[in-house]
Amino acid sequence: MFIDRRSFVKGAAVAGAAAVAPQVLVRTARGADKNKVVFVSEESNPKAIAVYDKINADFKKETGIEVVMEYPGFANIAKRVATLIAAGTPPEIVWYGAGQAMNLAIEGQLADVGDVLKATGGTAENLRMIYKGADRSIPTSQQFTYGWYRKDLFDAKKVSAPKSWDDYLKAAKALNEPPGMYGCIVPSAETGASTLLLETMFMKNDVHWFKYNAGKKDYEVVLDQGDQKKRAIETLDYLNELHKFSPEASTYNWGELMSTYFSEKAASSYYVGSRLLDQTIANNPKIADATMPFELPKKITEAYYLSIQGFHILEKANVEGAKKYVTFFMKHPDVIAWYHAVPLHIIPASRDMLHSAKYQDNPVIQKRMDVLKFLDSVWTKGVPLYYWDGKELNPYIGLYHNENLAGWVLAMRNIKGMKSDQVIDEAAAQVRKKMKRVG
């Protein structure tokens, strides 16, 4: 679940208290307790939780600081954090995507963590989230956006993994035998899965929602102008054509991308990371060995949506305790076990760690070294959305990304049948209205 930059803080007091309180206890207002750190984590895999428990116990033994964990889940974490902030009880640490955390940076909620980055060995330039001259995120991991396909089915049809848009279309058509088997999956709904697919395919065709105006020192909407509009229409029409070989997918999100694939109803899918492979191994191991990664083909560029996860420390909480904890966590020997909670999905932010014997010492990774080599081959091609439109951090991406506007675009074209030029014009108009609204 995504919410826009404006409502992120202002709308949480009502929505959070009404909707979240029955499921999650809201702490009473407190000062920053030096002996406690509240840590809200998006990753709630049982194996990851076990690692958190071990590291947290060691941290308390060494420092006397208790770590209180919350696991609201991917769909609810933004609302939960907003609720805590609105209640005057911000958590010390939030672990989730830097794209979502950027909203907190814009609202002045995130501490400068440059000292922690330095203490933990730094990070690659393209993974840094810099706002107002300071690092606001400590990257731990990342996920790449790419495709998965059934090599056995492709081989039976004498079709190779697609290398171009035309290849992708031909492969989907060749493998399409509905209703038992579809050639691909094109999610077409106001969901994160639809949003990230269109955003990645826009990147593949060098489509930008914004352009940086150096004179005004600000970003301006250009999606509906000149070559940008032409390429946006071309991309949308292409995905509409590809959708002919997909389930309708008018309600699809991440779970449906995985379940449709591992239940053998689609010959290919896409995902952000390798959780699809993890779920295929768990639910239908007989097709796991034939499940292979492929790079979503380029039209103009090889770029793809890069999801970066990391620690984010709240400015109005126990900053000192939080920084001690993050440094301790990153240097703890069991951090490798945390990366192994979902092997090949929680990808280290450090390429050196990816290449390390400790990281590769895992049965899933050892068996699927082909996936690790694939990830290494596309390592430098990913781009965080907030740097896609220019070198300056774009504070407006939440106006279309966090509200799944790109997913709406796909739904309007593929499900409602609206013409591509009309959809693009309407999407650009919506973003401009939102820019005026947030000032």
Side-chain angles (χ1 to χ4, degrees):
M1 179 181 295
F2 297 106
I3 51 180
D4 66 60
R5 177 162 72 94
R6 182 182 179 88
S7 62
F8 187 85
V9 174
K10 296 180 180 178
V14 176
V20 181
Q23 292 86 19
V24 185
L25 292 176
V26 177
R27 294 175 291 129
T28 56
R30 61 170 175 82
D33 186 343
K34 292 185 178 181
N35 294 315
K36 182 184 290 186
V37 167
V38 175
F39 177 7
V40 183
S41 176
E42 180 181 87
E43 183 55 66
S44 56
N45 178 282
K47 292 180 181 179
I49 290 175
V51 177
Y52 282 137
D53 290 345
K54 174 65 167 62
I55 293 177
N56 295 352
D58 290 347
F59 181 69
K60 185 175 182 180
K61 187 182 297 185
E62 181 168 311
T63 66
I65 300 174
E66 179 186 8
V67 182
V68 178
M69 299 296 302
E70 290 197 17
Y71 302 102
F74 174 81
N76 297 314
I77 189 166
K79 184 177 286 187
R80 177 57 180 157
V81 173
T83 299
L84 293 172
I85 290 172
T89 58
E92 274 68 30
I93 303 168
V94 184
W95 185 90
Y96 64 168
Q100 285 182 286
M102 190 186 75
N103 294 316
L104 296 183
I106 291 168
E107 299 291 344
Q109 299 286 349
L110 294 185
D112 180 347
V113 293
D115 53 342
V116 182
L117 269 179
K118 185 176 181 180
T120 56
T123 193
E125 282 297 314
N126 72 315
L127 301 186
R128 294 173 69 189
M129 185 179 75
I130 301 172
Y131 185 69
K132 291 188 175 179
D135 284 284
R136 308 293 175 177
S137 179
I138 303 144
T140 58
S141 50
Q142 53 190 324
Q143 274 106 43
F144 306 157
T145 304
Y146 53 98
W148 293 95
Y149 75 104
R150 287 276 303 275
K151 189 175 186 300
D152 56 338
L153 299 182
F154 273 58
D155 286 350
K157 294 285 187 178
K158 297 183 179 180
V159 177
S160 300
K163 299 292 186 182
S164 68
W165 281 21
D166 190 47
D167 287 347
Y168 199 4
L169 199 60
K170 288 179 179 178
K173 184 177 182 179
L175 274 296
N176 197 55
E177 296 179 1
M181 177 67 70
Y182 291 90
C184 64
I185 306 176
V186 180
S188 302
E190 289 185 63
T191 60
S194 299
T195 291
L196 266 61
L197 175 61
L198 182 60
E199 288 171 359
T200 288
M201 295 306 283
F202 269 179
M203 288 183 175
K204 296 292 183 179
N205 203 16
D206 200 24
V207 177
H208 296 262
W209 290 71
F210 292 89
K211 181 179 180 179
Y212 188 71
N213 186 319
K216 295 181 179 179
K217 294 184 178 180
D218 201 5
Y219 280 95
E220 298 175 336
V221 177
V222 295
L223 181 68
D224 56 350
Q225 298 176 12
D227 287 341
Q228 294 301 328
K229 183 175 181 178
K230 180 180 178 181
R231 292 197 294 269
I233 290 172
E234 181 183 35
T235 306
L236 199 51
D237 283 344
Y238 174 77
L239 288 173
N240 179 253
E241 188 68 19
L242 197 63
H243 184 255
K244 294 177 181 178
F245 311 111
S246 163
E248 184 184 57
S250 60
T251 60
Y252 275 32
N253 207 352
W254 304 111
E256 289 78 12
L257 289 185
M258 293 186 289
S259 64
T260 303
Y261 179 85
F262 67 64
S263 62
E264 302 188 54
K265 295 177 181 177
S268 68
S269 184
Y270 106 96
Y271 208 80
V272 181
S274 70
R275 200 180 295 271
L276 181 146
L277 175 63
D278 176 73
Q279 289 299 300
T280 301
I281 292 170
N283 291 282
N284 193 358
K286 70 184 178 70
I287 68 167
D289 288 351
T291 296
M292 300 292 177
F294 72 96
E295 193 171 351
L296 290 175
K298 76 171 188 177
K299 184 71 173 179
I300 295 177
T301 86
E302 295 182 321
Y304 57 80
Y305 176 95
L306 176 63
S307 176
I308 304 166
Q309 298 80 39
F311 291 110
H312 305 91
I313 295 175
L314 279 291
E315 179 70 48
K316 298 175 183 178
N318 179 7
V319 174
E320 182 180 355
K323 288 185 174 183
K324 285 182 180 178
Y325 175 79
V326 172
T327 303
F328 185 87
F329 184 99
M330 294 293 284
K331 293 183 176 182
H332 197 282
D334 283 347
V335 74
I336 290 293
W338 181 76
Y339 285 111
H340 288 163
V342 189
L344 297 169
H345 181 70
I346 305 178
I347 300 299
S350 164
R351 200 172 192 177
D352 287 341
M353 183 181 288
L354 183 83
H355 293 159
S356 71
K358 285 185 177 181
Y359 177 74
Q360 295 180 16
D361 185 17
N362 174 272
V364 173
I365 295 175
Q366 282 296 308
K367 186 175 182 179
R368 296 307 306 264
M369 287 296 289
D370 61 303
V371 178
L372 186 140
K373 292 176 181 177
F374 168 80
L375 295 172
D376 192 50
S377 74
V378 300
W379 188 274
T380 60
K381 299 176 184 179
V383 182
L385 200 60
Y386 41 84
Y387 289 133
W388 171 240
D389 298 315
K391 294 181 179 179
E392 301 292 331
L393 184 143
N394 183 351
Y396 302 117
I397 63 163
L399 301 182
Y400 68 89
H401 176 76
N402 291 355
E403 291 188 343
N404 291 326
L405 183 58
W408 174 87
V409 167
L410 266 183
M412 289 300 101
R413 182 67 184 96
N414 291 347
I415 306 303
K416 299 297 184 181
M418 188 183 293
K419 292 183 178 180
S420 292
D421 60 338
Q422 293 176 320
V423 181
I424 296 302
D425 285 344
E426 176 60 27
Q430 286 190 39
V431 176
R432 288 193 182 94
K433 288 177 183 178
K434 292 172 185 177
M435 290 180 73
K436 291 180 180 179
R437 188 183 73 196
V438 300

